[in-house]
Amino acid sequence: MDVVAVLLAAGDSERMGASKALMPWHGRSLLRHQVQEIQKSLIRECVAVLGREADRLTPVVESSVRPTWKSRAVYNPWHAEGKSASIRAGLRSLCDRPDGVLIAAVDQPLDHRLIDALVLRAEEEWERGPGAGPRTIVLPTFAGRRGHPPLFSGALMGELMEVREESEGLRAVVRREPSRVLEVPWGSDQILLNLNTPADLGPRLRANGHRAR
């Protein structure tokens, strides 16, 4: 199945006090971790949407991949408007409509095994073609709580292009029709993690004393 990842890394990281994308995570930067986990998965392409620090982050995106796999950086000049503007910028950069779109954020650490579980479950649901199944949104859950990243059928591209911060962004798409959401249980609470402040990093950081690369 043809699935593309849109990785949101255009935020200003105000609460973190420094670029989230360059924070250390398991001995590498968060951005490099995210791109490399996507690279290990069944996803064919990663579009990283960048903002204010695009010049610093673009080399990280472009150096994190194997030669036969696509990863590219897209600059969002409207990044100050929030995640919804970056989602639209990433989707506009696609040449054609994929079967599915995984939307991930740089501050929500990924696991390639989870990505594969979502893609394979979606493939079962949509086996008759893009969006053919009744459940066009696939979400991981832990202990009954929904987490990230969400995977959307390409049939929802029109709705995704209309997301706005003032109308709850992606949450509005997920909540619009509960019957089209497919939940996939996952065994780790990492799907609930949001790294917004230095305090959030502390308990989870495995790279203390190591410089992120």
Side-chain angles (χ1 to χ4, degrees):
M1 189 168 69
D2 180 25
V3 180
V4 172
V6 174
L7 177 60
L8 310 177
D12 290 338
S13 306
E14 292 181 358
R15 284 185 288 172
M16 185 65 76
S19 173
K20 290 183 186 179
L22 296 177
M23 289 287 105
W25 186 258
H26 293 257
R28 50 189 168 172
S29 68
L30 266 172
L31 179 58
R32 187 180 297 274
H33 169 86
Q34 298 292 71
V35 174
Q36 290 181 340
E37 288 301 303
I38 295 171
Q39 173 188 321
K40 293 176 187 176
S41 76
L42 295 170
I43 287 177
R44 71 163 170 90
E45 179 181 7
C46 175
V47 178
V49 185
L50 308 180
R52 187 176 61 182
E53 297 187 281
D55 290 345
R56 294 178 65 194
L57 301 181
T58 296
V60 178
V61 174
E62 295 180 346
S63 66
S64 297
V65 300
R66 60 182 184 266
T68 57
W69 189 80
K70 294 180 180 179
S71 180
R72 55 192 173 88
V74 172
Y75 176 69
N76 174 23
W78 303 282
H79 60 89
E81 297 180 10
K83 287 185 177 180
S84 294
S86 289
I87 292 170
R88 298 194 304 271
L91 295 177
R92 278 195 299 267
S93 75
L94 302 181
C95 296
D96 48 32
R97 193 184 85 174
D99 296 328
V101 179
L102 185 90
I103 298 183
V106 73
D107 57 358
Q108 298 171 343
L110 296 170
D111 182 330
H112 68 276
R113 295 166 296 182
L114 169 62
I115 297 173
D116 284 352
L118 297 177
V119 171
L120 291 172
R121 191 65 185 87
E123 190 170 26
E124 293 176 6
E125 187 74 9
W126 307 336
E127 61 182 356
R128 294 184 302 279
R135 293 177 291 185
T136 50
I137 302 171
V138 183
L139 294 175
T141 63
F142 175 79
R145 296 176 61 189
R146 289 178 174 178
H148 43 254
L151 174 59
F152 298 89
S153 165
L156 300 181
M157 283 282 285
E159 289 185 45
L160 295 175
M161 284 297 297
E162 295 298 322
V163 295
R164 297 292 186 276
E165 291 300 294
E166 56 269 24
S167 56
E168 295 191 298
L170 285 182
R171 290 183 181 180
V173 178
V174 173
R175 293 172 177 172
R176 190 163 293 139
E177 294 181 31
S179 63
R180 65 183 181 179
V181 177
L182 171 61
E183 295 183 346
V184 177
W186 191 246
S188 169
D189 65 352
Q190 183 167 302
I191 68 166
L192 308 176
L193 186 61
N194 287 280
L195 302 176
N196 291 315
T197 68
D200 296 330
L201 273 171
R204 298 276 185 158
L205 196 57
R206 301 292 188 269
N208 288 330
H210 296 275
R211 183 180 179 184
R213 295 178 293 173

